[in-house]
Amino acid sequence: MEPRKQQVMTTFLAYRNTLDAHYDQRERVIKCSRDITALSKKMVFSLLRITQDSPEKVFKDVEFKHNQVLELFAKMSKEMQGSNAMKYNRQATPGIQEYIEAVGLWRFLQHNELITKKQVLESLTIESDGNATPLVSVTDEDYLLGISDLPGEVNRYCINSIGKGDREAVSKCLAFLRMLKEGVSLVLSVRKYNNLEKKVPVLNSSLEKIEKAFYSMTIRECEMENINPATISASGIAAECNMDTS
Amino acid sequence: MDLQIFIDLQDKFDQETSLYEGINNAIKEMDRTCRLASAKLTKAHSLPQEQAKDVTESIKPQFVTIKQYIGELSQLIKPETFYRYHDRWTNVLQTACALVAFSIYLEESRLATPADVEEYLGFKVNTENADITVFVITLEEYLHGIISLFNELSRLAVNSVIVNDVKRPQHISAFASELYSGFQLLNLKNDSLRRRFDSIKYDIKRIEEVQYDLRVRNLI
């Protein structure tokens, strides 16, 4: 082969190696992101069982799953150092958002507050040789999109709570969603942000469902207050229905 | 209290807006400069090879301007956030690389290397898949620039015959087919690089047709 052609082939082989390394790294991030998504969803399912299991049991289970998720983040962390964090953010963000949704729901159920980005990063921090840095970085967009997915899950928790007659839980959910709606609207007022805009209809419909459910609950309670179940006896009902009790 | 989170985010986004303005302005100016240089370079298609140097000299001022604006971008962007904003300027940098590739071919009938790009545009081409610590021109941007060269070459082959230059198309033919072999080594994914790579074969075809036309008429 002539020298010029040889030169071209050698340089392009090097370029191939670089591109291959990049694509492979990107694939690894995608795989980690998928695994993180799956496990985060399991965390959410665990958390939603709080209306049927004891809180201690639920939080212990979630803690266990959380440690498993951290292992996945540790794996992903290797590919996301320095400038690579933003380079592969598009591939990592689905997992990160799903995770934020999970820890966000956890925080709401346990402490009745909205998790902050700082707290998210703290949850991703593990001590290793005196160094305490988060395993991955979280952008503002990751954080916003993650918490804007909370209404759906809070809605589920709320409906389950209504079934248990837990008025206090419903009231907390309502306040939480109203606050989220106000916050998201505030952010959208400064910046056009399509991905966040898409979440707004879901947020609105979740809020509406909870308000309706709370309304029904309140009406039923008013009704129940006017009837004292203890005074209902067999003869009383029979008299109402003109039945023969003899 | 919870609402404060959103108010703080609002402020952060407001601050970022001024950064976006700086970036967009630099990109706009670079884009204009690239178009001007591109318009000047098209003259090379209507002039014989000996006069190519005049054309490439005429766009040196544009390269100075482009270098300056890339410098501005590099001042605005921290390396850790490079990829957060990278999509904004990637197209104009691809065009800039294409200008370098065509200029070098016109002047020296060879392939522009990353070192050439660094000389003309003032910043290194990142040929490794590693964490970056300075502003760089990405390998993809460089490759996009080289792909643009194929289109210029196929036009140049045709236009050379028009000015009665039959030697140049021969060089172009050998050069282009070597370069194409190099490109065919790459494992590309379904992205813009792959799509533009797919268009190379049409330029190769045109170049080969010029060769054939000349051969068959015993002009070479």
Side-chain angles (χ1 to χ4, degrees), chain B residues 29-217:
Chain B
E29 293 303 321
M30 273 200 284
D31 197 45
R32 246 181 5 150
T33 315
C34 283
R35 280 178 217 263
L36 178 57
S38 198
K40 286 191 191 176
L41 271 186
T42 49
K43 279 219 190 67
H45 287 287
S46 46
L47 295 172
Q49 193 166 356
E50 307 81 57
Q51 296 181 28
K53 197 96 195 259
D54 300 333
V55 180
T56 54
E57 279 302 314
S58 77
I59 63 165
K60 293 279 194 261
Q62 275 70 59
F63 277 124
V64 170
T65 312
I66 293 172
K67 206 189 256 195
Q68 176 198 324
Y69 280 114
I70 303 181
E72 259 184 46
L73 275 181
S74 74
Q75 297 290 343
L76 289 169
I77 311 287
K78 289 198 288 274
E80 312 89 65
T81 58
F82 177 87
Y83 286 105
R84 182 176 161 89
Y85 308 104
H86 170 248
D87 286 340
R88 291 178 177 247
W89 63 75
T90 192
N91 284 335
V92 78
L93 278 193
Q94 287 171 26
T95 313
C97 288
L99 291 171
V100 175
F102 194 27
S103 296
I104 297 267
Y105 185 81
L106 285 173
E107 280 187 4
E108 299 172 50
S109 296
R110 64 172 178 85
L111 176 64
T113 61
D116 292 314
V117 171
E118 188 179 348
E119 195 196 310
Y120 275 68
L121 302 182
F123 286 85
K124 266 186 133 61
V125 175
N126 183 32
T127 52
E128 306 287 316
N129 182 48
D131 182 22
I132 57 167
T133 49
V134 292
F135 191 93
V136 292
I137 295 165
T138 65
L139 180 59
E140 284 90 338
E141 280 153 8
Y142 168 74
L143 289 173
H144 271 286
I146 306 299
I147 293 177
S148 299
L149 183 59
F150 282 96
N151 190 248
E152 299 289 0
L153 289 177
S154 69
R155 282 189 64 205
L156 203 55
V158 169
N159 289 321
S160 296
V161 175
I162 293 174
V163 295
N164 279 322
D165 182 352
V166 297
K167 282 187 81 179
R168 202 180 214 178
Q170 288 183 71
H171 185 268
I172 290 175
S173 174
F175 178 79
S177 73
E178 273 166 25
L179 195 52
Y180 190 40
S181 306
F183 264 97
Q184 285 173 309
L185 285 174
L186 302 177
N187 298 321
L188 298 175
K189 299 275 169 171
N190 282 337
D191 56 5
S192 64
L193 196 59
R194 171 70 194 273
R195 269 177 268 135
R196 291 201 64 221
F197 163 80
D198 284 337
S199 75
I200 297 177
K201 57 183 179 292
Y202 300 112
D203 295 309
I204 296 287
K205 181 166 166 285
R206 234 190 339 170
I207 293 169
E208 281 170 3
E209 279 167 358
V210 170
Q211 273 294 90
Y212 172 79
D213 284 339
L214 293 174
R215 272 269 161 83
V216 111
R217 289 164 181 75

Side-chain angles (χ1 to χ4, degrees), chain A residues 190-202:
Chain A
V190 261
R191 174 189 270 201
K192 201 170 122 65
Y193 193 12
N194 285 333
N195 287 339
L196 193 57
E197 289 272 0
K198 284 189 226 157
K199 313 272 173 148
V200 171
V202 177

Side-chain angles (χ1 to χ4, degrees), chain A residues 83-111:
Chain A
S83 61
N84 288 334
M86 275 318 298
K87 191 174 182 188
Y88 300 113
N89 176 265
R90 192 178 299 151
Q91 286 75 38
T93 193
I96 295 176
Q97 285 176 35
E98 205 60 54
Y99 171 78
I100 293 176
E101 196 185 328
V103 291
L105 184 63
W106 188 359
R107 185 103 208 158
F108 168 67
L109 291 175
Q110 200 166 26
H111 301 281

Side-chain angles (χ1 to χ4, degrees), chain A residues 36-97:
Chain A
I36 289 170
T37 300
L39 205 42
S40 299
K41 281 197 199 281
K42 287 192 182 140
M43 278 174 74
V44 170
F45 289 139
S46 287
L47 286 164
L48 289 176
R49 285 194 275 273
I50 203 169
T51 46
Q52 52 195 86
D53 291 337
S54 74
E56 296 83 50
K57 183 162 177 262
V58 164
F59 292 135
K60 193 158 163 246
D61 184 33
V62 163
E63 185 74 56
F64 178 73
K65 291 197 166 70
H66 181 239
N67 287 332
Q68 290 178 313
V69 177
L70 286 181
E71 277 170 36
L72 290 171
F73 269 111
K75 212 167 126 197
M76 194 164 85
S77 166
K78 293 196 194 93
E79 323 288 358
M80 310 270 290
Q81 294 300 312
S83 61
N84 288 334
M86 275 318 298
K87 191 174 182 188
Y88 300 113
N89 176 265
R90 192 178 299 151
Q91 286 75 38
T93 193
I96 295 176
Q97 285 176 35

Side-chain angles (χ1 to χ4, degrees), chain A residues 96 99-100 103-104 115-125 134 138 143 147:
Chain A
I96 295 176
Y99 171 78
I100 293 176
V103 291
I115 197 167
T116 63
K117 187 176 144 184
K118 185 154 167 273
Q119 287 164 339
V120 171
L121 287 168
E122 277 164 18
S123 76
L124 287 168
T125 306
V138 172
Y143 170 73
I147 59 172

